[in-house]
């Protein structure tokens, strides 16, 4: 037998190395076949080429077993059976024990194959051979001696310790990467939710660690480097913003038509900010809007604005040859005829069409209509005074709430009227008309109990026939204006909405005007007198006559209600409606280029061809110079498709979308008309998206964050406006960009493709 000082495993390995002519094979993949023992009548398995000579287990165990004496080796290995020498039953029990795979010290690395026991970790990391045999147990060759002490001995061996160390390093690689990704997740969540990131980022990491995210300890490289400084947070913010912006810029660059919306404002730190919003088409002809950039201006001059716009276009590498539209708020610096922003940009980009914002124009039309009628201007001012009267005092607000409760009305607040909020007057009128009795009761209480002169003045103005009638008139008119304003605030609004919705609103206003002294059924004016006589509402305040002081005296002249109504119609209703109608018509008058796009609609094909040819000529000269004849040829064929083809029942918007789609055959059949349709769809008719960007900016840059500016302010806005949901963000891409620069936090794995750049 082999001396006891020589480990049986080494003896087995040494025996294998002495075999001549045997190739080295992958033990896990080697072909096997059953070997039948003729003497014992049992079946076993053996590797090909190992049928002759003593078995491995025999050599490893130090046994001298002759053929046919006792059970086969594999039978002993398949256990739990007993390997016997002769008939001596005092020998120890041996064989594979499945419970070993459940033991904590073995289960993570030990596994069994038909070639014996192996170490999963050692075979994965291939520890280097410093001395000894080239075929090591548990690594290159399997162990068929199924003894627990052999397995325990492998745990303390140098190759296994080496493999365990590298396995821990591999886990450390994952932990370090997960720590960086976790930092990106925390930062992105803060910025996406418009929360101060510099001050809250370390706090959020601490909270995550408190909740069990131990991998954040990997960010603490040493006492000075913990990846929470303002500098590293700004770098991570720039990486996140770059990932959000890159696919958007790729879509814009591949679009066949783009346009810009620009607007200028002042932030909380009194810095001028220029907002740029881009509008483009996708491959299927649908319009998309994206925040482009926010630029700090030194002044509000047209030259500075134009220089900033051109700088952004160049920095973002946008296709200026496909820039067809410019939307502004209509301010003088933007639309000046001699040196305005639109004029300078049109000189540089001849295909550009400048359009003033439809929502701004509508708000200005309503304001001008109110200012044209003296009483309606006073009415608007008193609405704001009512708001300020109740907002500036908790006691007055409590009185208003108590009055509303007593009258069984809704708990209310008098809404504010602001020119910068287009729907504010509609909301204020709507709320006041519904709860006017409570407001009058609160004013009367303040005037009588607390002797408040402001309350007395407001009550004197509001508790009159003319005020109530004006309130009901606005309640009839403003919903239609508000509906039109909401249409202009849609993201996909284009010139077709102006063409379709403005005439409908004008017709509604004319109906109210033509009704005269007989209000339209179902309107608020139709129930005015009924509400004035209601004792449970306005009737309790005796608004029966309009108080007017006689010029030379202090008496009060009371007029019959019929006279007051006729006078209101003559002096307020008709002038106000006429002024509103004329202002809307003047501000939405026919625009030559935008009006010419109606030639692509279904109605144009049945109208005069002379007019159609003229509009085609206008569009071709603006967008496709020198292609007049080709455009006319395409129009002739296109006209037949609209009259008798597959698009004869479609609207103009649907037809233009089909023409603009690059995935449809129409773009190949009519390339010039396709280009005209694309330009018409992207030309903006409002700058509402810029106003929404300013609202986001005011939430991001607050009094507590007034030092936020430049690229970092733009990055915060880009993530807040255009970034995906936190769970949908590609954080792995952020990790790769993060390690493009040398970092102190590194993986111990020298083969890591991120940390070794």
């Amino acid at each position: 037998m082999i001396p006891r000082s020589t480990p049986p495993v080494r003896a087995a390995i040494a025996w294998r190395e002495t075999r001549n002519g045997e190739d080295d094979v992958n033990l896990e993949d080697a072909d096997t076949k059953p070997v039948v023992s003729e003497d014992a009548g049992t079946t076993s398995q053996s590797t090909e080429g190992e049928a002759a000579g003593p078995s491995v287990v025999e050599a490893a165990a130090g046994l001298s077993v002759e053929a046919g004496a006792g059970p086969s080796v594999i039978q002993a290995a398949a256990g739990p059976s007993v390997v016997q020498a002769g008939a001596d039953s005092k020998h120890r029990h041996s064989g594979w024990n499945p419970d070993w795979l459940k033991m904590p010290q073995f289960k993570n690395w030990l596994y069994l194959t038909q070639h014996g026991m192996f170490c999963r970790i050692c075979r994965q990391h291939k520890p280097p051979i410093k001395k000894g045999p080239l075929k090591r147990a548990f690594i290159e060759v399997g162990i068929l001696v199924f003894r627990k002490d052999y397995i325990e001995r492998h745990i303390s061996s140098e190759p296994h310790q080496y493999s365990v160390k590298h396995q821990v390093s591999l886990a450390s690689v994952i932990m370090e990467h997960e720590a960086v990704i976790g930092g990106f997740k925390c930062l992105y969540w803060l910025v996406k939710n418009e929360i101060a990131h510099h001050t809250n980022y370390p706090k959020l990491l601490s909270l995550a660690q408190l909740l069990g995210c131990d991998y954040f300890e990997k960010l603490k490289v040493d006492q000075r480097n913990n990846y929470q400084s303002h500098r590293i947070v700004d770098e991570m913010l720039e990486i996140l913003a770059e990932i959000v912006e890159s696919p958007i810029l790729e879509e814009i660059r591949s679009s066949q038509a783009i346009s810009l919306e620009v607007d200028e404002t002042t932030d909380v730190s009194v810095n001028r900010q220029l907002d740029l919003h881009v509008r483009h088409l996708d491959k299927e002809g649908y319009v998309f809007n994206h925040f482009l950039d926010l630029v700090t201006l030194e002044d509000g001059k047209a030259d500075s604005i134009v220089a900033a716009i051109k700088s952004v276009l160049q920095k973002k590498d946008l296709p200026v040859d496909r820039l067809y539209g410019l939307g502004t708020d209509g301010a003088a610096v933007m639309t000046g005829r001699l040196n305005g922003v639109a004029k300078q940009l049109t000189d540089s980009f001849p295909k550009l069409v400048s359009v003033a914002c439809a929502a701004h124009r509508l708000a200005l039309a309503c304001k001008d209509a109110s200012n044209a009628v003296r009483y309606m201007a006073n009415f608007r001012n008193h609405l704001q005074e009512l708001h300020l009267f109740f907002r500036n005092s908790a006691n007055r607000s409590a009185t208003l709430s108590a009055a509303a409760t007593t009258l069984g009305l809704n708990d209310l607040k008098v809404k504010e009227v602001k020119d910068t909020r287009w729907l504010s007057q509609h909301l204020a009128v709507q709320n006041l008309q519904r709860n006017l009795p409570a407001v009058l009761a609160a004013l009367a209480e303040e005037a009588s109990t607390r002797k408040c002169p402001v309350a007395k003045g407001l009550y004197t103005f509001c508790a009159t026939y003319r005020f109530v009638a004006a309130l009901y008139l606005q309640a009839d008119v403003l919903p239609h204006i508000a509906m039109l304003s909401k249409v202009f605030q849609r993201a996909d609004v284009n010139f077709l909405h102006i063409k379709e919705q403005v005439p409908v609103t004008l017709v509604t206003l004319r109906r109210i005007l033509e009704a005269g002294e007989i209000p339209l059924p179902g309107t608020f004016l139709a129930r005015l007198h009924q509400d004035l006589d209601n004792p449970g509402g306005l009737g309790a305040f005796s608004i029966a006559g309009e108080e007017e002081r006689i010029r030379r005296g202090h008496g009060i002249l009371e007029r019959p209600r019929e006279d007051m109504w006729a006078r209101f119609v003559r002096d307020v209703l008709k002038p106000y409606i006429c002024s509103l109608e004329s202002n809307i018509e003047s501000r939405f008058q026919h625009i030559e280029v935008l009006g010419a796009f109606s030639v692509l609609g279904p109605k144009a094909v049945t109208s005069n061809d002379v007019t159609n040819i003229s509009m085609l000529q206008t569009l071709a000269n603006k967008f496709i110079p020198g292609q007049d004849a080709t455009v006319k040829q395409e129009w002739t064929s296109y006209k037949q498709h609209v009259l008798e083809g597959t698009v004869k029942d479609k609207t103009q918007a649907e037809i233009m979308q089909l023409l603009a789609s690059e995935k449809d055959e129409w773009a190949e059949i009519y390339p010039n008309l396709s280009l005209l349709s694309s330009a018409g769809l992207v030309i903006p008719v409002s700058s509402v998206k810029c106003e929404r960007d300013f609202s986001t900016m005011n939430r991001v840059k607050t009094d507590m964050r007034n030092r936020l500016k430049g690229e970092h302010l733009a990055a915060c806005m880009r993530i807040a406006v255009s970034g995906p949901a936190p769970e949908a963000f590609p954080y792995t891409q952020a990790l790769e960009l993060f390690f493009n620069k040398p970092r102190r936090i590194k993986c111990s794995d020298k083969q890591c493709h991120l940390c070794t750049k």
Side-chain angles (χ1 to χ4, degrees), residues 181-195:
I181 290 178
F184 275 113
K185 289 180 178 179
C186 292
L187 180 60
Y188 186 83
W189 184 88
L190 289 171
V191 179
K192 183 63 179 177
N193 289 278
E194 301 168 357
I195 302 173

Side-chain angles (χ1 to χ4, degrees), residues 447-483:
S448 60
T449 304
R450 296 185 174 87
K451 306 299 182 182
C452 177
V454 178
K456 183 178 180 181
L458 289 174
Y459 182 84
T460 302
F461 183 84
C462 296
T464 60
Y465 180 90
R466 186 158 50 171
F467 177 84
V468 178
L471 182 64
Y472 278 48
L473 171 62
Q474 292 257 288
D476 284 335
V477 171
L478 292 183
H480 303 288
I481 304 298
M483 186 181 302

Side-chain angles (χ1 to χ4, degrees), residues 63 191 392 562 662 665:
L63 302 177
V191 179
N392 295 334
E562 293 76 10
E662 298 181 24
E665 68 275 6

Side-chain angles (χ1 to χ4, degrees), residues 422-464:
W422 301 316
L423 303 178
S424 61
Q425 185 166 346
H426 165 59
L427 296 176
V429 167
Q430 184 183 46
N431 194 31
L432 183 59
Q433 188 274 330
R434 186 172 58 248
N435 300 283
L436 182 59
V439 174
L440 293 177
L443 291 175
E445 177 70 17
E446 291 289 326
S448 60
T449 304
R450 296 185 174 87
K451 306 299 182 182
C452 177
V454 178
K456 183 178 180 181
L458 289 174
Y459 182 84
T460 302
F461 183 84
C462 296
T464 60

Side-chain angles (χ1 to χ4, degrees), residues 453-652:
V454 178
K456 183 178 180 181
L458 289 174
Y459 182 84
T460 302
F461 183 84
C462 296
T464 60
Y465 180 90
R466 186 158 50 171
F467 177 84
V468 178
L471 182 64
Y472 278 48
L473 171 62
Q474 292 257 288
D476 284 335
V477 171
L478 292 183
H480 303 288
I481 304 298
M483 186 181 302
L484 185 60
S485 179
K486 290 179 181 179
V487 171
F488 294 156
Q489 295 178 46
R490 289 172 50 180
D492 60 344
V493 64
N494 54 44
F495 71 96
L496 293 174
H497 294 88
I498 296 179
K499 175 183 175 182
E500 296 170 358
Q501 298 298 327
V502 171
V504 174
T505 303
L506 291 176
V507 169
T508 304
L509 295 178
R510 291 192 188 102
R511 290 182 59 199
I512 298 176
L513 177 63
E514 293 170 356
E517 297 184 6
I518 304 177
L520 294 175
T523 61
F524 288 102
L525 287 174
R527 46 181 267 200
L528 171 63
H529 294 165
Q530 180 182 353
D531 290 348
L532 289 174
D533 295 333
N534 182 13
L538 294 176
F541 300 94
S542 301
I543 308 178
E546 183 176 5
E547 296 183 356
E548 292 183 357
R549 295 190 178 277
I550 303 176
R551 180 175 298 179
R552 295 183 181 181
H554 300 286
I556 297 176
L557 178 63
E558 294 187 3
R559 298 176 180 271
R561 181 175 291 179
E562 293 76 10
D563 292 347
M564 289 187 293
W565 170 247
R567 184 182 178 186
F568 173 78
V569 172
R570 182 184 71 249
D571 296 343
V572 178
L573 188 149
K574 289 186 176 181
Y576 174 69
I577 298 294
C578 290
S579 177
L580 184 60
E581 182 181 357
S582 62
N583 275 280
I584 292 177
E585 286 181 339
S586 62
R587 292 186 179 274
F588 292 95
Q589 61 185 352
H590 177 74
I591 301 176
E592 183 180 5
V593 176
L594 291 183
F597 280 107
S598 61
V599 71
L600 300 176
K603 295 182 180 180
V605 297
T606 58
S607 61
N608 189 355
D609 281 346
V610 176
T611 304
N612 293 332
I613 296 301
S614 176
M615 290 189 289
L616 287 172
Q617 184 75 32
T618 300
L619 295 177
N621 291 339
K622 182 66 178 179
F623 301 108
I624 320 175
Q627 298 292 327
D628 304 3
T630 306
V631 171
K632 293 177 183 178
Q633 291 176 358
E634 292 183 7
W635 160 256
T636 303
S637 175
Y638 164 80
K639 179 179 178 180
Q640 299 302 319
H641 278 289
V642 177
L643 287 173
E644 303 175 358
T646 57
V647 297
K648 64 177 181 178
D649 297 327
K650 295 185 179 296
T651 63
Q652 182 172 353

